[in-house]
Amino acid sequence: MTAPHEGDPRETAAEAARRVAEAGRRATTERDKQGTPEYDPRQHQKAVERERRAAEGRGL
């Protein structure tokens, strides 16, 4: 199996799954900060938006 060339919009299913999982981890990390001094609602919203875009890009 070959990796997509740079600039090639296609990606393997494994790469897409990894991207979605990483976005989900970031969103969860930000969510878990709620109620603490480290919580930034803007960062949480950005993480949720990244997760949504990653999932849409994969067609989930």
Side-chain angles (χ1 to χ4, degrees), residues 8-60:
D8 187 349
R10 295 172 293 170
E11 64 183 342
T12 67
E15 290 168 335
R18 181 197 51 77
R19 198 168 43 86
V20 171
E22 177 60 29
R25 280 191 290 276
R26 286 182 183 176
T28 299
T29 298
E30 290 300 322
R31 184 203 66 214
D32 290 345
K33 291 179 184 178
Q34 287 180 342
T36 70
E38 295 88 29
Y39 181 67
D40 180 354
R42 293 168 300 187
Q43 289 301 321
H44 181 228
Q45 186 58 41
K46 286 179 184 179
V48 168
E49 184 63 21
R50 279 191 300 267
E51 182 180 19
R52 183 192 62 78
R53 284 193 313 259
E56 281 181 355
R58 183 161 182 240
L60 294 175

